[in-house]
Amino acid sequence: MDGSGNISDLMKVIQSLNNLRQDIAKGLQSGLRNDAPDAAIAMRQKWRLSEVGLEDYAFVLLSRFLNALEAMGGAHWLVENVVQKNVSSWNDALGALVIGINQLGLSGWKPEECRAIGNEILAWKERGLLDAEGGENSARIWGLRLKATLDRARRLTEEYSEALLNIFPEKVQILGKALGIPENTVRTFTEAEIRAGVIFQVSKLCTVLLKAVRNVLGSQGWDILVPGDASGTLVQVESIVPGSIPSSVTGPIILVVNRADGDEEVTAAGANIAGVILMQELPHLSHLGVRARQEKVVFVTCEDEEKVADIKTLYGKFVRLEASSGGVSLAETSAKSNNGNIPLENQSNTSSPKSTSSVTVKNSDENQVVVSTEGVILLENVDTRISGAKAAACGRLASLAAASDKVNNEQGVPASFKVPNGAVLPFGSMETALEQNGSTETYTSLIQTIETAEIDGELDKLCNELQKLISSLSPPNKAIESLSKIFPEKNTRLIVRSSANVEDLAGMSAAGLYDSIPNVSLSNPIVFKQAVARVWASLYTRRAVLSRRAAGVAQSEAVMAVLVQEMLSPEFSFVLHTLSPTDKNKNLVESEIAPGLGETLASGTRGTPWRLSSGKFDGAVQTLAFANFSEEMVVRGGGPADGEVVRLTVDYSKKALTVDSVFRQQLGQRLGAVGFFLEQKFGCAQDVEGCLVGEDVFIVQTRPQPE
């Protein structure tokens, strides 16, 4: 079957099948009474078998559709039509994808996610190629918007495959052995199940469409988080964790990583890691991205299946990874010809080794820790010595907020922002609680032991003991009473945040290393006190201990204050870098934006944020990517203040930042103005976190941006 006429006819059949299966599935939603007669039960079984049969036939029809699409030229034919501004030629392919995804939802696989993806594709299909997109190239914006949804659809298929791979193999092995099934059949059973289902055709259709969209955008399937050159042995691992690298591998290595949650630290897994290739999308300004830049590790992601296949052929070989604005290359090279890891900013002096200097946290007046005798300190009265750099920066932000009301940039865009009300439990609060609990001696002994603990075995045990000990502590009632006066509204929602002396420093950002607990209230003092103790205890997670060890910071030097702030319920949260993290352009502010609370963005949840680039001096805003996180985190005002958040499925066809080019341009300019203002006030490039509540920009944190 070939030709557009045949494809259109085939689409009518596929649509009819989809409608029929929807009707049957709807009829089967109502249950049978307990006393239903056998005839009714038998008829219901026939309808269920009919529905299963339609699902199987959908696989056949989608396979025929893909064959017909390939016969017409596949991805190449689709690209040619975009060049001719005829995106309506994509309608059948997009319609087939919507139906395929709907079939997955009817089969019970993440139905809300399937509906959201289907809604988005239908919206982009109807929207077509607009003449104007806020002054940006309309074909590029069309491609970026569609790519975000197609990536989300492909993620849906990958998660389905991963679910089957987690469920089937072990059980299939046991059952196959018991029944005497041939070993080869047992080994290939799960793969065969995946390839025989609608999910396989949906995945193939996503691949064709994504290949076409990348071609339209001029993308090679790579995304650069940290540019530079690096050489080493190419090693594949599941995730970036200590102990994941085979002990047999020596010398510099380039890691190929299957997945990341965004909170990892690269060098904690191995000081010899020169570069990372991650096989999933990741926000550029996530904690992992920030740490990789600070650790000067070249970091790229790859999402193109053909390039992934090429990468696999180089496993175990010595390779050179080059990542720059010109693109990414990975090729086998001689170990003798390499210069190790060469970050972009150091490429003019390739003889300079990677810095391994430690971070000093106590030997200067500015960083000298002072134990406060006050139980609670107002945000405007804190400083670094008694509450850490994060709380001190928030205190300065509070004073700058009033001044920002009178500031506009050269284009007249306001740089105004607000800061949530807050207070601090200073350094020494945890130690006081330990003393009151009679646990100081035990704590001191554990700290002394953990300094030299072996990574395998002993370290985990000591970290668990320390966290258990500290989690049992409670801030004094006097502190709770003081906070109640600062936050007099009984049901005010609060967030409890870390502010250690070993985070938000110029040489050690420790972004996301310590815990923040959202959605607590002083009206529930038990939960609130537990939240404070959890923040204290996060000082001794395995990851935190290894991070300090890698930075040359003694565990006994680390102390924790607790920042308590009013909890906001934003529509969007963002991270700003006032120096472009990819090409070091000082004239741009780059922002990454997520729906709902900022944890989605900072933690590296699978998916991409909206990414905007804003000119500091000309106000020009460029859209770099559209968001496709499957869920947003929100706090419901009527829900319990229990330290938990609600996750809601996102439909980006209803999000102004995706569909409204004017809103996107205005927000980009506003964030650019705020970021530039903060950079000027703090005297260096800033890593800024904040959110949008109504029309108000709130800034909740700023720290020196790792370069």
Side-chain angles (χ1 to χ4, degrees):
M1 181 177 290
D2 56 21
S4 59
N6 288 334
I7 277 190
S8 297
D9 291 340
L10 186 54
M11 273 302 301
K12 292 177 183 177
V13 178
I14 295 174
Q15 184 64 62
S16 297
L17 180 148
N18 186 63
N19 293 341
L20 178 57
R21 189 179 176 207
Q22 281 187 157
D23 289 341
I24 294 174
K26 185 176 181 180
L28 289 170
Q29 285 178 356
S30 59
L32 286 174
R33 300 195 317 270
N34 291 334
D35 60 348
D38 291 345
I41 295 173
M43 181 56 69
R44 186 179 182 83
Q45 289 174 337
K46 288 180 180 180
W47 282 116
R48 179 62 73 188
L49 290 173
S50 298
E51 194 227 342
V52 172
L54 288 171
E55 179 185 16
D56 292 340
Y57 194 48
F59 170 89
V60 175
L61 292 177
L62 288 171
S63 177
R64 290 179 183 173
F65 179 89
L66 278 160
N67 292 337
L69 183 60
E70 289 295 342
M72 293 182 67
H76 180 71
W77 175 76
L78 292 169
V79 173
E80 284 183 340
N81 280 278
V82 176
V83 172
Q84 298 168 13
K85 296 190 175 180
N86 177 27
V87 296
S88 62
S89 60
W90 289 57
N91 286 353
D92 285 334
L94 293 174
L97 181 58
V98 170
I99 291 173
I101 290 171
N102 187 54
Q103 292 292 305
L104 298 179
L106 291 173
S107 299
W109 179 246
K110 297 191 174 183
E112 287 190 17
E113 177 75 349
C114 289
R115 277 193 294 273
I117 294 172
N119 288 343
E120 289 179 25
I121 296 173
L122 289 174
W124 314 152
K125 178 181 167 184
E126 182 178 347
R127 188 182 183 94
L129 197 60
L130 300 182
D131 293 332
E133 285 279 3
E136 298 189 77
N137 181 283
S138 58
R140 182 174 171 277
I141 295 299
W142 173 86
L144 287 173
R145 189 184 284 120
L146 182 56
K147 180 181 180 297
T149 301
L150 292 175
D151 280 335
R152 184 177 181 180
R154 187 182 63 172
R155 188 168 70 238
L156 179 77
T157 67
E158 292 171 348
E159 290 168 349
Y160 181 94
S161 298
E162 290 165 5
L164 288 192
L165 289 170
N166 287 331
I167 294 170
F168 278 2
E170 183 179 352
K171 295 179 174 62
V172 169
Q173 186 74 31
I174 295 170
L175 188 60
K177 185 176 181 180
L179 297 176
I181 305 296
E183 184 177 341
N184 183 62
T185 302
V186 171
R187 187 171 60 251
T188 60
F189 177 84
T190 305
E191 179 187 351
E193 278 296 299
I194 294 170
R195 294 176 65 87
V198 170
I199 193 78
F200 181 63
Q201 304 299 351
V202 171
S203 177
K204 286 176 66 176
L205 192 49
C206 284
T207 298
V208 173
L209 290 167
L210 277 168
K211 184 176 181 180
V213 168
R214 290 194 197 106
N215 200 309
V216 169
L217 296 171
S219 167
Q220 300 176 339
W222 295 98
D223 193 16
I224 302 171
L225 277 75
V226 184
D229 296 349
S231 299
T233 303
L234 194 66
V235 177
Q236 189 269 336
V237 296
E238 183 63 24
S239 57
I240 307 173
V241 293
S244 60
I245 301 171
S247 57
S248 58
V249 180
T250 58
I253 61 174
I254 308 293
L255 278 188
V256 178
V257 184
N258 287 346
R259 61 177 62 253
D261 61 24
D263 276 335
E264 299 86 349
E265 295 210 27
V266 178
T267 54
N272 58 336
I273 300 173
V276 174
I277 303 172
L278 177 62
M279 299 304 194
Q280 70 174 60
E281 65 271 73
L282 189 76
H284 286 211
L285 310 185
S286 64
H287 294 149
L288 176 55
V290 169
R291 292 171 193 154
R293 275 186 286 280
Q294 188 167 14
E295 294 166 346
K296 309 243 185 277
V297 174
V298 180
F299 200 121
V300 300
T301 67
C302 185
E303 56 183 3
D304 183 272
E305 293 181 358
E306 294 179 0
K307 288 183 173 57
V308 170
D310 292 340
I311 291 170
K312 290 180 179 179
T313 65
L314 297 173
Y315 285 173
K317 298 178 180 179
F318 200 88
V319 299
R320 185 172 185 82
L321 172 65
E322 299 178 358
S324 68
S325 58
V328 176
S329 68
L330 182 71
E332 188 173 1
T333 187
S334 167
K336 295 181 180 180
S337 67
N338 99 90
N339 289 308
N341 183 306
I342 313 174
L344 190 64
E345 60 269 28
N346 295 337
Q347 287 181 15
S348 60
N349 180 13
T350 58
S351 63
S352 298
K354 186 176 176 179
S355 172
T356 56
S357 60
S358 63
V359 176
T360 302
V361 297
K362 278 195 176 182
N363 67 352
S364 69
D365 289 340
E366 180 182 359
N367 291 325
Q368 181 67 43
V369 170
V370 175
V371 176
S372 173
T373 56
E374 297 184 58
V376 175
I377 302 174
L378 291 172
L379 199 55
E380 55 264 32
N381 297 331
V382 303
D383 66 39
T384 303
R385 295 172 303 163
I386 60 175
S387 59
K390 181 189 290 185
C394 287
R396 190 174 178 200
L397 282 171
S399 65
L400 288 173
S404 72
D405 282 339
K406 305 172 185 177
V407 178
N408 293 338
N409 69 6
E410 293 180 4
Q411 289 73 44
V413 178
S416 60
F417 64 89
K418 297 181 178 181
V419 174
N421 188 25
V424 177
L425 299 176
F427 294 146
S429 299
M430 183 184 82
E431 288 73 11
T432 298
L434 282 165
E435 186 176 345
Q436 291 175 348
N437 198 39
S439 303
T440 300
E441 187 176 339
T442 302
Y443 168 78
T444 303
S445 175
L446 288 169
I447 291 297
Q448 291 173 346
T449 308
I450 207 171
E451 293 281 9
T452 57
E454 294 293 330
I455 291 179
D456 297 330
E458 186 184 12
L459 181 64
D460 284 345
K461 179 175 179 290
L462 291 169
C463 286
N464 289 336
E465 287 182 23
L466 271 168
Q467 290 181 78
K468 184 177 180 180
L469 172 65
I470 297 170
S471 294
S472 68
L473 302 177
S474 178
N477 291 328
K478 185 178 179 181
I480 303 300
E481 292 172 5
S482 297
L483 288 169
S484 297
K485 295 176 182 177
I486 298 170
F487 303 101
E489 292 291 331
K490 183 177 180 181
N491 294 317
T492 298
R493 302 302 174 103
L494 304 172
I495 181 169
V496 179
R497 307 172 63 199
S498 68
S499 185
N501 67 325
V502 283
E503 64 177 323
D504 286 16
L505 306 177
M508 187 180 188
S509 75
L513 196 59
Y514 308 108
D515 284 352
S516 292
I517 312 299
N519 192 28
V520 295
S521 172
L522 292 167
S523 63
N524 189 340
I526 294 176
V527 171
F528 180 83
K529 290 180 179 181
Q530 289 172 343
V532 171
R534 283 173 62 186
V535 172
W536 284 338
S538 69
L539 198 59
Y540 298 108
T541 62
R542 172 189 172 93
R543 193 161 52 83
V545 169
L546 288 176
S547 175
R548 292 193 292 272
R549 185 179 288 185
V553 176
Q555 307 302 328
S556 59
E557 291 184 354
V559 290
M560 178 70 79
V562 175
L563 173 61
V564 182
Q565 287 183 292
E566 185 177 349
M567 182 83 191
L568 302 172
S569 296
E571 183 176 358
F572 302 108
S573 296
F574 58 80
V575 175
L576 310 178
H577 275 193
T578 63
L579 173 71
S580 173
T582 50
D583 62 8
K584 308 301 178 185
N585 190 330
K586 297 180 179 179
N587 297 321
L588 299 176
V589 173
E590 291 198 5
S591 56
E592 291 194 337
I593 308 166
L597 298 174
E599 186 58 24
T600 299
L601 188 60
S603 67
T605 303
R606 284 194 69 179
T608 56
W610 291 282
R611 291 182 56 224
L612 304 178
S613 173
S614 309
K616 293 177 182 176
F617 307 107
D618 60 9
V621 176
Q622 183 180 15
T623 305
L624 305 177
F626 284 92
N628 67 8
F629 294 115
S630 296
E631 296 177 328
E632 61 181 327
M633 300 181 193
V634 301
V635 173
R636 284 181 169 160
D642 56 2
E644 301 297 331
V645 296
V646 177
R647 295 175 180 268
L648 302 175
T649 301
V650 187
D651 179 352
Y652 291 96
S653 68
K654 297 182 174 72
K655 292 291 184 181
L657 199 50
T658 290
V659 299
D660 187 341
S661 60
V662 174
F663 176 75
R664 195 163 57 248
Q665 293 285 312
Q666 291 175 343
L667 181 60
Q669 290 176 340
R670 183 89 179 275
L671 296 181
V674 172
F676 188 34
F677 173 79
L678 291 174
E679 180 182 66
Q680 291 175 307
K681 291 300 181 181
F682 282 87
C684 64
Q686 292 292 295
D687 173 355
V688 185
E689 295 182 20
C691 60
L692 188 70
V693 181
E695 296 183 355
D696 294 324
V697 172
F698 279 81
I699 302 299
V700 299
Q701 182 172 320
T702 190
R703 60 168 74 93
Q705 178 182 330
E707 298 186 24

